[in-house]
Amino acid sequence: MNSQNKTIVITAVVTAVLILVGIFVLMPILGPRFMHPMMMERMHGGGSGTSANDLNTETTRMTNNGAFIVSFKSELDPITIGSMHSWILHVETADGQPVEGATILVDGGMPDHGHGLPTSPQVTQDMGGGDYLVEGLRFQMGGWWEVKFNISADGVEDNVTFNIILGG
Amino acid sequence: MLKKRLLLAGIVFTLSAGILLGCSNQASPWSEAEVELMRTLWIESLPALPPDPSNQYADDPRAVALGAKLFSDVRFSSNGEVSCATCHIASKDFQDGLPLAQGVGTTDRRTMPIAGTAYSPWFFWDGRKDSQWAQALGPLENPVEHGGTRTFYVKLIQAHYKTEYEALFGTLPDFSDESRFPVPAAPIDDEVAAANWASMSEADREAVTLVYVNMGKAIAAFERTIMPRTSRFDFYVEAVLANDISAARDIFTADEEAGLKLFLNEANCTRCHNGPLLTDNDFHNTGVPAVADLPEDIGRARGAQQVLADEFNCLSKYSDAAPEDCKELRFMLAEGEELERAFKTPSLRDVANRAPFMHAGQFASIEEVLRHYKNAPDAPKGHSELEVLHLSEAQLQKIVAFLKTLTAMDR
Ligand SMILES: [Cu+2]
């Protein structure tokens, strides 16, 4: 092989490498349009049109009518699929006073799948200082879960919904 | 000359690009989320066997040994021919391959496998028992399974297992007085057995039941040792987690890999078949057809009420558990339309060796099961959780290929 041919071979190899490396490097900029549709679906939080990205997944939320500010702390952090566990729910008035002696009911489910919670979680203890022990929570599959609390205290009733996204 | 050079450049470019693309084909076909999902299904993700607080003998090797003997002892049946091992055949993944279990008669349901059930909070297709030992006692007094009653069984313990029993549980009462301990006698539907049971003193009934419960606890100690085994799928996951795709592809064919991809994504399988045992241990109505000749079966809707009322449940005096250890029962979902014709999700480990499928053996092959899931017909009662799957027959076949990789390697 003469030197001219050698140059051509090297140039061709380098060009091929550069083009392909370029495609890989530019992938994030080119965006997901070259990805497999399945990968895109996963990136957007699951198949059935869930707008999981838009959900408010904060663990402190105001109740629907603004009566209480409610936060939860899970015994399991992060929450894993299939494990029975408890939460501590903290309830305050809108101006930050802890609410004691409230009656709290628990409900929830997976809106996308049309089913409720697999267990019947209950508030089993008023721990004082606005803290309540919620026992018996379990999420048996990945996806978008809602956990709803109906809170009644001093003649005021209000509701709050927490959104939880579990992988898997 | 120029043409030649251009040709040379073209060939070299194509070759280089080809080699590079070839290499990039060995890049992982799995997204990060898929890899994490696979890790949760991996057998190595199975935690250590949790304790069974309801059975203080659960991890006693003497209980395991006694339980293993009781498990296979055909004397513990009304016709002297049926033991636990009759339906739970060790060489068949502890099931029998029949649509309906055959004890001294024929039951209304399919025999369930045993491996890994120590991880489950619920037993039977409807979860009407909440411990392995309470489960083991069910078939013994079922008229079409072992067909005996507890006075009959405790007398057999006295005759054949007195030494082993006493070494473990303490003094065995003397059950030889036929008038105090008539056979048959048990708190069951059978008229004679129920009348005899009612005729016994409270103390005698209590003595009999305690020994009967201990039998169940010994059998459970044995059943706890029956664990799922490593499958080809687990080796595939191990290779994927090590990011060694070429090793992974030595383990799986292209079809098996494609089947796994569908399993994790479009086919929605991991909604229910999740975790290292590939079951959520929960109950679902998947629209499985009713069997014409069998009585109506409402599944969990009945099982939930039965376990609440069960004389051997976690909160009963025969359980060794404290109430705080009975969270599954205390926070159980007891009512609701979702329980109607909901049946327990079985593990998919070894599934290829477990035809026929579903709670009454309704489907003869995995293919039939997958076609049912694809078509998602309405439930005969209650509401099916299934959604129609837009999968081709070829895709279903790939899922079948994948499911076969869940068979234990030593089979
Ligand atoms: Cu769901």
Side-chain angles (χ1 to χ4, degrees):
Chain A
M1 206 186 278
N2 63 34
S3 70
Q4 214 167 359
N5 278 359
K6 230 184 242 170
T7 313
I8 289 166
V9 168
I10 290 166
T11 312
V13 170
V14 169
T15 312
V17 170
L18 280 177
I19 289 172
L20 283 161
V21 166
I23 288 172
F24 279 105
V25 169
L26 287 173
M27 202 54 163
I29 300 159
L30 291 169
R33 86 195 83 153
F34 296 121
M35 286 168 104
H36 192 277
M38 240 148 63
M39 281 172 78
M40 274 180 68
E41 216 170 56
R42 290 205 73 81
M43 280 181 65
H44 292 285
S48 49
T50 319
S51 49
N53 312 9
D54 309 335
L55 287 170
N56 182 334
T57 56
E58 281 169 38
T59 59
T60 300
R61 301 203 71 177
M62 185 169 275
T63 50
N64 297 347
N65 297 325
F68 308 112
I69 296 167
V70 187
S71 59
F72 78 86
K73 203 171 160 13
S74 170
E75 171 195 12
L76 273 181
D77 189 15
I79 295 169
T80 48
I81 291 170
S83 309
M84 178 77 90
H85 65 288
S86 56
W87 285 6
I88 290 173
L89 198 71
H90 181 75
V91 185
E92 290 179 359
T93 57
D95 55 0
Q97 297 306 306
V99 176
E100 296 189 9
T103 303
I104 301 174
L105 301 174
V106 193
D107 194 10
M110 297 187 84
D112 281 348
H113 298 176
H115 62 75
L117 298 175
T119 57
S120 297
Q122 287 159 35
V123 171
T124 54
Q125 203 186 322
D126 181 347
M127 303 165 79
D131 285 348
Y132 298 84
L133 181 64
V134 188
E135 287 190 278
L137 284 149
R138 177 172 56 216
F139 306 101
Q140 89 279 36
M141 64 182 81
W144 168 32
W145 288 88
E146 286 183 336
V147 181
K148 304 173 179 186
F149 295 96
N150 171 276
I151 301 168
S152 303
D154 304 320
V156 180
E157 182 183 342
D158 210 348
N159 295 286
V160 67
T161 300
F162 292 105
N163 295 303
I164 294 164
I165 310 289
L166 296 181
Chain B
M1 199 58 186
L2 185 66
K3 250 187 193 167
K4 229 183 184 175
R5 280 180 190 157
L6 271 176
L7 189 67
L8 179 63
I11 290 166
V12 172
F13 178 86
T14 311
L15 278 176
S16 312
I19 288 164
L20 276 170
L21 278 174
C23 291
S24 76
N25 266 350
Q26 286 302 100
S28 180
W30 302 111
S31 72
E32 225 172 283
E34 286 169 329
V35 172
E36 279 318 301
L37 184 53
M38 266 188 254
R39 185 199 300 277
T40 66
L41 308 178
W42 192 30
I43 199 158
E44 298 293 327
S45 298
L46 192 65
L49 198 56
D52 178 356
S54 75
N55 180 2
Q56 59 175 305
Y57 309 101
D59 297 307
D60 189 321
R62 295 169 303 172
V64 176
L66 174 58
K69 286 185 190 173
L70 296 176
F71 190 85
S72 305
D73 193 333
V74 292
R75 289 174 296 201
F76 287 75
S77 62
S78 58
N79 64 2
E81 289 172 12
V82 175
S83 73
C84 307
T86 302
C87 298
H88 301 285
I89 304 162
S91 62
K92 290 187 175 176
D93 197 24
F94 290 95
Q95 53 88 46
D96 53 15
L98 300 170
L100 301 175
Q102 305 286 326
V104 302
T106 302
T107 74
D108 297 341
R109 296 240 183 92
R110 166 106 176 75
T111 301
M112 299 192 87
I114 294 175
T117 53
Y119 289 87
S120 174
W122 308 114
F123 298 84
F124 290 120
W125 285 102
D126 53 14
R128 66 183 182 275
K129 295 286 181 176
D130 66 347
S131 69
Q132 274 183 315
W133 65 266
Q135 187 283 325
L137 296 176
L140 284 164
E141 287 189 336
N142 184 312
V144 292
E145 297 188 54
H146 296 244
T149 58
R150 59 192 71 176
T151 51
F152 173 66
Y153 296 128
V154 300
K155 283 168 196 259
L156 286 170
I157 293 286
Q158 185 169 357
H160 305 294
Y161 294 99
K162 190 168 194 286
T163 314
E164 284 148 290
Y165 181 93
E166 292 193 331
L168 196 51
F169 302 109
T171 311
L172 185 73
D174 182 3
F175 297 119
S176 53
D177 185 338
E178 290 298 322
S179 60
R180 273 176 65 197
F181 302 100
V183 173
I188 57 174
D189 283 341
D190 181 83
E191 247 175 69
V192 180
N196 283 342
W197 185 250
S199 76
M200 290 168 60
S201 77
E202 176 72 37
D204 284 352
R205 287 196 300 228
E206 191 58 35
V208 168
T209 299
L210 200 60
V211 174
Y212 184 55
V213 162
N214 286 337
M215 279 175 57
K217 288 180 179 174
I219 295 170
F222 165 63
E223 290 183 331
R224 259 171 88 74
T225 64
I226 303 168
M227 294 287 278
R229 306 189 307 287
T230 307
S231 69
R232 203 146 54 77
F233 165 69
D234 298 302
F235 286 105
Y236 179 85
V237 176
E238 195 176 352
V240 169
L241 291 173
N243 212 10
D244 191 344
I245 298 306
S246 83
R249 284 181 170 164
D250 287 341
I251 297 165
F252 266 18
T253 64
D255 274 3
E256 288 163 350
E257 190 175 84
L260 172 57
K261 193 117 192 162
L262 292 164
F263 184 88
L264 300 177
N265 296 287
E266 289 99 316
N268 293 336
C269 306
T270 56
R271 277 196 192 175
C272 301
H273 295 286
N274 55 40
L277 294 172
L278 295 142
T279 170
D280 62 356
N281 289 317
D282 202 32
F283 304 89
H284 300 276
N285 181 334
T286 54
V288 173
V291 177
D293 304 333
L294 294 179
E296 184 179 50
D297 192 339
I298 55 170
R300 183 59 172 164
R302 179 147 181 261
Q305 295 307 314
Q306 285 177 308
V307 73
L308 281 179
D310 183 34
E311 63 173 325
F312 300 134
N313 74 21
C314 188
L315 291 166
S316 74
K317 61 181 168 184
Y318 301 107
S319 159
D320 301 317
E324 56 265 32
D325 292 323
C326 299
K327 287 193 176 153
E328 292 289 350
L329 187 65
R330 285 169 53 216
F331 302 108
M332 180 188 82
L333 185 65
E335 282 169 357
E337 204 222 355
E338 287 156 56
L339 306 185
E340 198 81 12
R341 266 189 88 76
F343 295 92
K344 193 176 156 179
T345 312
S347 168
L348 289 183
R349 290 195 171 269
D350 275 308
V351 66
N353 296 309
R354 280 208 306 272
F357 300 100
M358 304 304 179
H359 63 273
Q362 284 95 328
F363 299 127
S365 65
I366 300 182
E367 285 83 353
E368 272 186 51
V369 175
L370 291 177
R371 273 176 218 129
H372 171 82
Y373 284 158
K374 171 182 149 68
N375 297 329
D378 284 342
K381 196 169 185 194
H383 176 73
S384 171
E385 290 180 32
L386 297 183
E387 293 158 22
V388 174
L389 297 173
H390 301 284
L391 296 175
S392 67
E393 185 62 28
Q395 285 175 310
L396 294 189
Q397 289 305 328
K398 285 174 183 169
I399 299 175
V400 173
F402 160 67
L403 290 171
K404 289 180 177 169
T405 72
L406 294 167
T407 301
M409 293 286 275
D410 54 4
R411 285 189 65 117

